[in-house]
Structures are given as C-alpha cells and as structure tokens.
Amino acid sequence: MKRATRSDLQQWEENGISYHLIDVREEWERQAYSIGGVHIPLSELLGRKDEILKNEPVVIYCEKGIRSQLAIQRLESSGYENLYNLEGGMKAWKLSTTT
C-alpha cells in the first residue's frame, strides 16, 4: 500500500502535482478538524466509489490511518491503483503542525 505524509503532500503542491483528498471519517470528526477534500464516510465508500477518480493520485485519510487503510484495501479490490494512505492520519497531521 502506498503511503503519503504531510511532507509528501507539501512537495507535491510545490511541484504542481495534482491530487485529491478523501476523508473517510464520520461527520462529527470532520467538523472537529479537517484538511478538506471530499467527505465519504467509510460506511458509504463502496456505494460512492464512482466519485473517486482513477486517473490522478487520491490520498485517503481518517483519524489514525486505520480506516483509510481499510478503505484503500476495499477500493483496490475494485481496480483502483492510484490510492495513498495519509500516514498517521489526522493525529499525525496535527502533531506535525505543533512541532
């Protein structure tokens, strides 16, 4: 499984690499803290997979990286090859802003 860190995403942006974010957390988690992207809760993922692009990098994130890993496994079994797990999820993201 491919992984991306906050630093990787910053480098992609600096290099003009387009990517998309998918947040698989619950709505209340997203309201508390979000880095943007499309909100597709894990429970709705397979029913909404047509909303996820296959031709550009897609970074999937959750709180700790566990649900996003499950999401990627499910999507890869449907033919997706362009998915990245945000390493450490929002927990690691928030920690990287305080250091």
Side-chain angles (χ1 to χ4, degrees), residues 5-21:
T5 63
R6 181 181 186 156
S7 175
D8 293 331
L9 298 185
Q10 289 170 332
Q11 287 180 348
W12 290 1
E13 289 174 10
E14 290 169 7
N15 294 324
I17 298 172
S18 179
Y19 66 91
H20 301 273
L21 293 170

Side-chain angles (χ1 to χ4, degrees), residues 1 11 13-14 19 22 33 38 45 53 59 62-63 72:
M1 181 175 303
Q11 287 180 348
E13 289 174 10
E14 290 169 7
Y19 66 91
I22 304 288
Y33 188 85
V38 176
L45 186 70
L53 299 176
V59 179
C62 64
E63 186 62 26
I72 289 170

Side-chain angles (χ1 to χ4, degrees), residues 47-59:
R48 295 178 58 189
K49 68 183 178 184
D50 292 342
E51 297 176 41
I52 302 170
L53 299 176
K54 287 188 173 182
N55 59 348
E56 291 187 16
V58 175
V59 179

